[in-house]
Amino acid sequence: MSTTTTTETKAESQTQTKAQNGAEQQTRHSEVGHKSLLQSDDLYQYILETSVYPREPECMKELRDITAKHPWNLMTTSADEGQFLNLLLKLIGAKKTMEIGVYTGYSLLATALALPEDGTILAMDINRENYELGLPVIQKAGVAHKIDFREGPALPVLDQLLEDPANHGSFDFIFVDADKDNYLNYHKRLIELVKVGGVIGYDNTLWNGSVVLPADAPMRKYIRYYRDFVIELNKALTADPRIELSQLPVGDGITITRRIK
């Protein structure tokens, strides 16, 4: 092969690479709550179109569309994670549950739909206004009676629950998607409230992939602020002999823990 041909081939290859990179930057996934760590947006779209959207209940699609119009829509649980939570709750036969961090209620609705008619969710969030955006959809779905919503910080509510021994080991499932700087404080309390064999799910445990970045790497301000808290949580959960766990690259990373003692 001549030097001219080799040079042309390299130039052509570089041009194709640049075009591909440009296309990737222009087509970043627009899915509401999209936090997928998959390298390929096309692969994520395949997952959504093949197994998520065809099975997504109409009420959850409606709530997802409402949330898409909210300026903080990145805070919502993604559709694939909502599907995962719904199935997980059915697999473990959950009945008494808790959710810390509600936003507009997409994951809350996924939970409520999975619970039996007499199932319950103690739901806590500091912003009732966001919760009420999704409430009409939850009511229309016929599951609002399962939800006990409390506006305000969760820690005082947890401390109050712990004062009554009857609450110890009484929850089947707990989902945490709230202030990352309090995740360890939540865990210290929740491990006493979930039953042996019960499950606690912690959301955002890969935190936009920042957990593997150098401390001085460029990051958005809020990513950098919470990064160390997430890393400390991950270390603490791994070292906790009271649980077994699995960390999954679903959404922005979700760690599923099961209390064993």
Side-chain angles (χ1 to χ4, degrees):
M1 183 181 288
S2 68
T3 304
T4 303
T5 303
T6 302
T7 303
E8 288 174 350
T9 301
K10 286 182 178 178
E12 189 175 1
S13 177
Q14 289 171 353
T15 301
Q16 290 174 348
T17 301
K18 287 179 180 178
Q20 290 170 354
N21 290 341
E24 287 174 2
Q25 290 174 359
Q26 291 173 9
T27 59
R28 281 302 300 169
H29 210 281
S30 59
E31 159 67 16
V32 177
H34 171 58
K35 312 179 186 76
S36 176
L37 298 171
L38 289 173
Q39 292 299 307
S40 167
D41 280 348
D42 289 338
L43 186 56
Y44 184 55
Q45 187 66 31
Y46 174 83
I47 292 171
L48 292 174
E49 293 182 354
T50 302
S51 62
V52 179
Y53 290 158
R55 292 296 190 96
E56 184 181 34
E58 187 58 37
C59 57
M60 291 190 67
K61 181 183 184 302
E62 183 180 355
L63 183 48
R64 182 162 54 84
D65 290 342
I66 290 171
T67 305
K69 300 179 178 67
H70 194 275
W72 303 341
N73 61 51
L74 191 63
M75 290 171 52
T76 193
T77 299
S78 58
D80 54 323
E81 187 174 1
Q83 182 188 60
F84 170 73
L85 291 173
N86 181 274
L87 182 58
L88 175 62
L89 284 153
K90 292 173 181 175
L91 288 171
I92 67 174
K95 184 174 179 180
K96 183 178 180 181
T97 71
M98 181 191 304
E99 182 162 330
I100 301 176
V102 171
Y103 186 43
T104 60
Y106 188 82
S107 58
L108 187 64
L109 180 55
T111 299
L113 290 171
L115 297 183
E117 189 63 20
D118 59 346
T120 61
I121 314 167
L122 174 59
M124 291 167 274
D125 199 289
I126 59 172
N127 192 318
R128 177 179 288 274
E129 184 178 345
N130 289 336
Y131 166 65
E132 290 182 344
L133 279 175
L135 185 56
V137 179
I138 293 172
Q139 291 170 332
K140 188 165 64 172
V143 292
H145 65 281
K146 302 178 185 180
I147 301 168
D148 175 12
F149 180 80
R150 311 277 184 92
E151 182 180 20
L155 288 175
V157 178
L158 299 181
D159 287 337
Q160 186 177 19
L161 287 173
L162 286 168
E163 290 175 3
D164 184 353
N167 292 320
H168 291 216
S170 66
F171 286 85
D172 303 313
F173 177 82
I174 301 170
F175 182 56
V176 185
D177 183 10
D179 42 334
K180 317 310 169 196
D181 46 344
N182 266 321
Y183 267 29
L184 274 177
N185 289 324
Y186 292 142
H187 183 67
K188 291 173 184 175
R189 293 159 172 80
L190 296 178
I191 196 65
E192 301 294 333
L193 292 169
V194 73
K195 70 180 184 182
V196 173
V199 173
I200 308 174
Y202 292 99
D203 203 19
N204 307 117
T205 57
L206 295 177
W207 201 228
N208 204 46
S210 66
V211 291
V212 298
L213 295 178
D216 59 352
M219 301 177 214
R220 293 180 182 178
K221 189 177 294 184
Y222 79 96
I223 294 291
R224 181 180 300 282
Y225 177 77
Y226 289 115
R227 171 183 174 273
D228 289 346
F229 292 109
V230 174
I231 290 174
E232 286 306 309
L233 170 77
N234 291 335
K235 291 178 181 177
L237 293 179
T238 301
D240 191 338
R242 299 168 296 180
I243 62 171
E244 52 189 6
L245 78 166
S246 178
Q247 188 172 28
L248 304 171
V250 176
D252 193 24
I254 180 171
T255 298
I256 301 298
T257 71
R258 177 176 176 267
R259 183 182 175 185
I260 56 176
K261 59 182 179 181

